[in-house]
Amino acid sequence: MGHTSESTWVPSVTLLVGVGNEGISALLLGADGRVRGDADMVFEGQPVHPSGAVRHTRQSLSLALHEVEPEVERIVIAGPAASGSLAAMAPDRQVVVAWLIARPDDAKAVVFGEFFRESGGWKFTGVGKGYASGLAELVTAYGVEVAEEEPVVETAAAASANGPVPLTSVVKVPMHAPSQATPGGAGAPGSTGWAGTPGASGTPGASGSAGGKGRKSWADAVGEPVAPDPSVFPPAAREYRLLEGWEFGPVFEPFTITGRGSDVITTPARVPAGPVLFEVAHQSGGHFAVVPLDRRNKEGASLFNTTVPDYRGSTVTPAPEDRPLRLRLIGENDWVARVKPVAAARRLERTMAGYGDEALLHLGGAADLRVDFKGSPGGGGSIALWVHEVTGQTELTHVGRTLALNTSDRILQTVPLPPGPALLLLIAEGPWSLTVRELGF
């Protein structure tokens, strides 16, 4: 059935995934390893997920990993049994996953592999598990119930040659308690391990934007001359659907890079001038900092400076107009860094939780914001909240900027927010939760 691949990091961008046959399908799974309903299956007969993050196109799947709903922990890639390779290609046409699939002896459907969340990013692992009764048996294992009146065996046999089972009579199955994580799958909720071999393609330690020398072409990876579908990689203005009323910061294709230890990174030309969202995740403990470099290649004020274990954070920083954005990362372990449009930041809605620094978008009206800060794991810790009103602004300045909160230790406090659109920069040394209550006037 093939071999089990070590988990490898993949960039959180739109990936084109193919396995060399027309029956490729995707199952979007929650933390319990099961679909939430029939909408969480994407295949030829149901080509678009309601979120728009997963699409079936020709013989491939388009996975916009940066748009996948937070409730989705894993995306399983499955289809009729066939030999060949599973490949995933990034928008810059570099193949970030290439995994050999052996011809199964007794299976009619196969789970080729899965993408899963870890430490704020996404990984891929090969699976190669076969199902003798076909796709109906396969999807049932993930919480899909196929109506009994359907001729499951006969349909599955036909699907082996002609495509997926037409899952038109699928109903939602009651959720079960999460089972223990399986090897190669996503860990239990809260898992922060960084598996993978440093230096391997797509893993922390590889330099560049999830690419590298010696990678196979897309055609070689899927075993046939398949040209990428241009609709999978739409123009940047559609790739990041601008939120209504949000016009702060340029829109562009995101940039992802992985590494280990201290290094200097330079963004490519596709990152234009203006405020951009910068996200980072750092493995384990030790000191970790990110410092921008100026025109003279000298360090400015730190964007991040922390000793928090398994740190994840985001902020907004300006990309220069006449040169690339350059950043010095100071750390001891594996890290992942991403540069995205500000429009990709999380939106402040209802109650949300987080840990550490984060950039948030406020698009509602005037509101009261309830802040619950738990303090740092070792006690103490501080939290601050800057509110930037961005209407008519092209950069972060003192105009329309308010320091809404600045305190130490644990707090439970309510602060007023002006109407949006506004950018909130939260700086915290520990876990927090925010509850927004609009005033309605």
Side-chain angles (χ1 to χ4, degrees):
M1 285 301 304
H3 63 279
T4 301
S5 168
E6 290 191 18
S7 301
T8 55
W9 292 98
V10 296
S12 296
V13 297
T14 300
L15 301 181
L16 183 66
V17 181
V19 294
N21 65 58
E22 298 179 355
I24 188 170
S25 306
L27 297 169
L28 285 71
L29 310 181
D32 63 351
R34 300 169 71 84
V35 298
R36 297 166 294 179
D38 58 354
D40 280 344
M41 296 172 293
V42 178
F43 57 102
E44 186 176 7
Q46 186 170 274
V48 182
H49 189 264
S51 67
V54 180
R55 298 172 180 270
H56 186 283
T57 172
R58 297 184 184 176
Q59 297 183 14
S60 306
L61 289 168
S62 168
L63 309 183
L65 297 179
H66 54 285
E67 295 182 355
V68 175
E69 299 163 297
E71 296 82 8
V72 174
E73 295 286 338
R74 297 159 57 194
I75 303 176
V76 170
I77 308 300
S83 60
S85 297
L86 181 147
M89 185 177 69
D92 58 5
R93 299 183 184 272
Q94 289 184 334
V95 176
V96 297
V97 172
W99 185 67
L100 178 65
I101 304 166
R103 180 179 295 277
D105 296 328
D106 57 356
K108 296 178 180 178
V110 177
V111 173
F112 302 118
E114 63 179 38
F115 296 84
F116 63 94
R117 295 185 189 271
E118 186 169 309
S119 300
W122 285 89
K123 280 186 171 183
F124 170 83
T125 188
V127 177
K129 182 177 180 180
Y131 291 82
S133 296
L135 284 170
E137 179 189 5
L138 186 156
V139 298
T140 300
Y142 291 100
V144 175
E145 183 176 321
V146 180
E148 294 184 2
E149 63 269 22
E150 291 188 5
V152 175
V153 176
E154 291 79 8
T155 304
S160 177
N162 300 322
V165 177
L167 301 170
T168 55
S169 299
V170 171
V171 296
K172 186 175 180 180
V173 176
M175 298 298 186
H176 298 282
S179 58
Q180 186 174 357
T182 57
S191 172
T192 54
W194 283 51
T197 305
S201 62
T203 63
S207 61
S209 57
K213 295 181 179 179
R215 291 195 182 278
K216 296 181 179 180
S217 68
W218 173 255
D220 291 337
V222 299
E224 59 180 335
V226 177
D229 186 345
S231 66
V232 175
F233 306 120
R238 284 186 293 155
E239 178 73 17
Y240 271 95
R241 298 188 297 272
L242 291 180
L243 300 174
E244 183 178 354
W246 188 266
E247 299 179 352
F248 184 71
V251 179
F252 56 93
E253 180 185 311
F255 166 69
T256 300
I257 187 169
T258 61
R260 181 178 177 85
S262 298
D263 204 349
V264 173
I265 64 175
T266 302
T267 58
R270 70 172 180 264
V271 178
V276 297
L277 179 69
F278 182 75
E279 300 177 337
V280 70
H282 179 247
Q283 177 196 18
S284 300
H287 177 238
F288 180 70
V290 179
V291 184
L293 300 174
D294 65 15
R295 181 188 300 276
R296 300 178 59 201
N297 215 31
K298 297 184 67 174
E299 297 182 0
S302 297
L303 299 181
F304 304 100
N305 193 348
T306 182
T307 57
V308 172
D310 295 310
Y311 178 76
R312 289 177 287 174
S314 69
T315 190
V316 172
T317 190
E321 184 173 355
D322 55 351
R323 56 187 174 85
L325 173 64
R326 285 172 49 79
L327 301 161
R328 183 186 180 200
L329 281 73
I330 305 167
E332 303 173 9
N333 301 300
D334 298 330
W335 47 261
V336 179
R338 301 184 183 90
V339 181
K340 300 179 178 180
V342 179
R346 278 207 296 170
R347 180 173 175 175
L348 181 64
E349 292 181 309
R350 298 182 293 276
T351 297
M352 59 194 307
Y355 191 106
D357 304 344
E358 185 165 355
L360 301 166
L361 307 183
H362 173 46
L363 297 174
D368 289 333
L369 183 66
R370 189 70 165 169
V371 181
D372 186 0
F373 177 58
K374 304 300 185 183
S376 65
S382 62
I383 183 170
L385 177 64
W386 288 96
V387 180
H388 295 263
E389 299 178 68
V390 299
T391 301
Q393 302 295 314
T394 58
E395 57 183 347
L396 293 178
T397 66
H398 66 280
V399 178
R401 184 179 69 175
T402 303
L403 182 60
L405 180 66
N406 188 13
T407 188
S408 299
D409 216 338
R410 299 168 58 98
I411 65 162
L412 182 60
Q413 184 174 327
T414 300
V415 298
L417 286 182
L423 171 66
L424 277 57
L425 296 182
L426 184 66
I427 306 168
E429 297 178 324
W432 47 262
S433 67
L434 304 176
T435 301
V436 60
R437 298 192 295 262
E438 291 199 25
L439 302 181
F441 58 81

